[in-house]
Amino acid sequence: MQVNNQKIVVLGTGGTIAGESASETESLNYQAAQRSIADLLKPISGQTMQGPASIQPFAIEAVQVAQIDSKDMDFEVWRRLAVCCSDHLSRDEVKAVVITHGTDTLEETAYFLSQVIHIDKPIVLTCAMRPANFKDADGPQNLRDALNFAAQARGRGVWLVAAGEIHHSQYVQKVHPTRLNAFDSGEWGAAASVHEDQIKWLKSFEKNKPQSGSNGILKAIDLPEVAQWPWVEIVTHHVQSNGRALSLLVKAGVHGVVVAGTGNGSLSASLKDALLSAQSHGVQVCVASRCNQGPVLPTENHVFKTAGELNAVKTRVALILDLMSKQKKSEADLFESGSPFSI
Ligand code: ASP
């Protein structure tokens, strides 16, 4: 019997959207991750607020994957979340996955999932800037918009829905610590807007649509135990960048370094020397920009790999996954050629 997508699975991970403050007028001092995902869904699936028409055909299934402030997001939760997304999206009856997440590290999680989930269905993240009990909480509307988008979006892609905008995981970043529309996709712009349940794709995005690509090798199921994930740090280039911090990292055994260079990835002579030395010790180096918009365009002056359009934190995710897939490949090659320890 063929079952067609009848469900949207909502995964809760915590964040301000699930947060509570001491009073309904306090939006800065609060505790993130207090309400369960089932509680957050009540106003949408219950009596008080009817969900958008697009979600009526779908049953909503809620799963609490974690309950944390996203500043504490870690590889353990990422691994669990990726496997959970993959398992649910693999079910024929599931149309899409929606994830509630804190805003602070959302762009890293979104990009990570875009690289390890290879299933032709959408993943839609949403969040809030005000705790759930604030008098004008933004969470319920964001969650409603996210479900609406998940019910209509097609194909593979990881998205953020917040403050009436829909952003692609490749470009989106948090750009403001407190305002309601805290996310932006820089010069690439939002992909679509949502107003009174109407989703409108933006022409500028149609032109800049990213490939729904990934490192292509690793899948959620291939992610190793967290203890085996490579150690990759970000080093920022600034006035008097002398490479001392980098040498300490190399000494401590770092596997990869992303440099948030100035402008188009420029680096002082001494940091460049320190990076070359790190590279000669087997450390992988990639250069992004500390500017908050625009890609790093490779020039003759770049001696290291450049990050392209990814910001530094997403470049770090890409480098972690790249190192992991190289590790996996060399293990597979070793297996094929026979273990050096076999008789
Ligand atoms: N610190 C919170 C978090 O990232 C901020 C938020 O959700 O807006 O979980």
Side-chain angles (χ1 to χ4, degrees):
M1 186 183 74
Q2 185 171 356
V3 197
N4 280 327
N5 309 150
Q6 304 151 335
K7 285 189 174 167
I8 295 176
V9 177
V10 187
L11 310 178
T13 71
T16 299
I17 191 167
E20 278 183 5
S21 56
S23 85
E24 60 162 33
T25 52
E26 180 57 82
S27 69
L28 277 183
N29 293 306
Y30 62 89
Q31 233 11 67
Q34 300 300 302
R35 293 196 182 174
S36 70
I37 188 61
D39 275 352
L40 300 185
L41 283 164
K42 269 182 200 152
I44 294 165
S45 48
Q47 310 287 308
T48 43
M49 180 181 175
Q50 282 290 302
S54 65
I55 71 163
Q56 299 310 331
F58 298 98
I60 308 286
E61 206 175 294
V63 181
Q64 194 77 50
V65 176
Q67 187 63 306
I68 55 171
D69 185 314
S70 81
K71 70 180 172 56
D72 300 317
M73 184 55 76
D74 60 19
F75 294 162
E76 195 61 67
V77 179
W78 266 8
R79 194 163 169 261
R80 198 166 354 123
L81 188 61
V83 170
C84 198
C85 281
S86 171
D87 286 352
H88 286 294
L89 289 174
S90 303
R91 294 163 57 199
D92 284 346
E93 72 274 24
V94 172
K95 159 81 174 69
V97 160
V98 170
I99 303 172
T100 54
H101 196 290
T103 58
D104 288 344
T105 58
L106 187 147
E107 73 212 57
E108 293 171 65
T109 299
Y111 181 71
F112 164 70
L113 292 174
S114 77
Q115 298 302 292
V116 298
I117 306 293
H118 303 217
I119 302 167
D120 254 339
K121 294 179 185 178
I123 297 176
V124 183
L125 285 96
T126 193
C127 56
M129 291 299 287
R130 294 168 170 170
N133 65 321
F134 188 74
K135 59 182 168 46
D136 294 318
D138 51 334
Q141 185 64 48
N142 286 347
L143 184 52
R144 178 190 172 96
D145 290 344
L147 287 164
N148 183 16
F149 181 66
Q152 298 182 58
R154 286 169 195 274
R156 180 179 167 192
V158 181
W159 308 90
L160 161 70
V161 178
E165 292 182 341
I166 298 160
H167 292 268
H168 193 274
S169 54
Q170 183 91 359
Y171 304 138
V172 72
Q173 57 180 330
K174 189 173 180 182
V175 294
H176 199 281
T178 52
R179 81 179 178 214
L180 267 192
N181 59 339
F183 287 89
D184 195 64
S185 290
E187 59 190 10
W188 292 288
S193 65
V194 50
H195 182 67
E196 291 181 355
D197 295 341
Q198 299 302 310
I199 294 166
K200 199 171 139 206
W201 288 92
L202 301 176
K203 284 212 178 80
S204 51
F205 179 76
E206 291 295 332
K207 272 192 256 145
N208 291 322
K209 225 177 193 162
Q211 304 288 322
S212 54
S214 69
N215 65 49
I217 302 169
L218 279 177
K219 296 196 176 111
I221 197 170
D222 300 323
L223 293 167
E225 292 295 322
V226 165
Q228 288 167 38
W229 286 38
W231 176 24
V232 178
E233 288 291 335
I234 299 175
V235 170
T236 304
H237 177 239
H238 45 71
V239 169
Q240 190 71 23
S241 271
N242 55 19
R244 275 174 73 189
L246 183 65
S247 323
L248 293 173
L249 286 171
V250 175
K251 241 191 200 156
V254 76
H255 300 115
V257 171
V258 172
V259 194
T262 30
N264 192 32
S266 68
L267 305 169
S268 68
S270 38
L271 184 58
K272 189 168 154 187
D273 285 348
L275 287 164
L276 285 169
S277 156
Q279 209 168 240
S280 71
H281 285 88
V283 176
Q284 299 288 312
V285 176
C286 190
V287 177
S289 175
R290 68 177 214 189
C291 295
N292 64 5
Q293 282 193 31
V296 173
L297 300 174
T299 68
E300 287 171 1
N301 295 326
H302 287 117
V303 295
F304 305 105
K305 209 168 143 190
T306 48
E309 64 207 13
L310 296 180
N311 67 11
V313 290
K314 289 183 196 173
T315 306
R316 175 174 172 268
V317 177
L319 190 49
I320 290 169
L321 293 174
D322 189 43
L323 287 165
M324 245 186 231
S325 26
K326 282 187 182 130
Q327 172 70 18
K328 188 172 151 62
K329 192 171 174 314
S330 68
E331 279 165 12
D333 289 350
L334 194 63
F335 184 71
E336 251 170 45
S337 63
S339 160
F341 305 111
S342 62
I343 303 165

